[in-house]
Amino acid sequence: FRLAHMEKGSRSYNILSLLAEKGGWTRPLPKGRARGVAVNACFESFAAHMAEVSVAPNGAVTVHKIVCAIDCGTAVYPDAIRAQAEGGAIMGMSTALHERVRFENGGVKTANYDEYPVVTMSEVPEIEVHIARNDLKAGGVGEPVLPSVAPAIANAIFNATGVRLRELPFQKELLVKG
């Protein structure tokens, strides 16, 4: 649907096409799983993410896989680009599922990291990164690989449950079946 409404040949169209191809958008998923995608552009780069999730009856969200495609122009150091994209996927997932600063009595209640949950190693899914090849001006890498992670996960959750989550971190209690 999204590709049909984008300008063919544009960088956003091309990066979403690369994501769909490499991420296997048309491949069937195991029962109980759903995919979602999101695309963004910033710092003269384009990035797209595909998330594969499942949602348990108690509202627990499991992210099984994240695929990232990035067009940052000339890829000067591909290993560093992959590392940034993997870190961005983990950070975006953490923002979507856990991170929250709490306030109380007119001040910050979250005083330390023991009160600020982040994604743990056991939650980190399989992550694939695909770098578009071109000879355009080199663009940003660190920033572009973060903004489309949470929306991709939210779209996958919607595809799995029919529930739209629009606040970060996601209100998983809205996903409880009962």
Side-chain angles (χ1 to χ4, degrees), residues 70-140:
I70 181 167
D71 174 356
C72 56
T74 300
V76 176
Y77 186 21
D79 287 344
I81 295 167
R82 277 188 201 83
Q84 284 287 328
E86 290 168 356
I90 294 167
M91 188 174 178
M93 186 177 147
S94 192
T95 301
L97 300 178
H98 300 305
E99 295 181 29
R100 178 183 309 235
V101 174
R102 299 191 192 296
F103 298 89
E104 187 176 274
N105 299 325
V108 176
K109 181 181 180 199
T110 308
N112 206 339
Y113 280 108
D114 63 338
E115 299 171 352
Y116 187 78
V118 295
V119 165
T120 61
M121 288 179 67
S122 64
E123 293 174 283
V124 174
E126 174 186 355
I127 300 171
E128 285 181 18
V129 178
H130 302 281
I131 303 168
R133 295 178 186 258
N134 60 48
D135 59 357
L136 299 172
K137 175 184 171 196

Side-chain angles (χ1 to χ4, degrees), residues 141-170:
V141 175
E143 293 85 356
V145 295
L146 177 64
S148 53
V149 176
I153 295 170
N155 287 333
I157 291 169
F158 174 75
N159 288 334
T161 66
V163 176
R164 281 271 180 221
L165 300 176
R166 299 179 192 265
E167 293 182 30
L168 298 176
F170 296 146

